[in-house]
Amino acid sequence: MHAHERTGPRRGYYYQLAASSGWSSLPFLSLVRQPTLVVAGDDDPIVPLVNARIMARLIPDARLHVYRGGHLALVTEADELAPVVEDFLDTD
């Protein structure tokens, strides 16, 4: 986003960037006990598909759904992805 559109102090933004670069949830993914749907785009410039594949392998009861698209497809492609989420929520 453009700097003039950001709200709040710059320091908070920089702290958020620093925190995201130094913390990982990988050691804790095996502790997730809920069925989990991992949804990822095959052309996401922000979160690479490999991240979703790793998460789906490390979460014990995870299902991976890869869609054709980028980072905001849950918003821009809701007609395609809503049935995937509904199907996941309807399964036992």
Side-chain angles (χ1 to χ4, degrees), residues 17-88:
L17 287 178
S20 68
S21 68
W23 188 85
S24 174
S25 62
L26 285 176
F28 306 104
L29 293 179
S30 65
L31 301 175
V32 175
R33 296 293 173 237
Q34 294 76 21
T36 305
L37 176 62
V38 179
V39 180
D42 65 357
D43 190 28
D44 189 332
I46 297 172
V47 181
L49 180 56
V50 67
N51 290 22
R53 293 191 190 284
I54 291 168
M55 286 176 57
R57 284 193 184 123
L58 293 177
I59 297 173
D61 192 12
R63 182 167 70 180
L64 174 63
H65 177 80
V66 178
Y67 60 85
R68 294 185 54 82
H71 192 71
L72 296 176
L74 284 172
V75 175
T76 61
E77 306 298 328
D79 290 345
E80 174 191 341
L81 294 176
V84 174
V85 175
E86 287 176 349
D87 178 58
F88 175 77

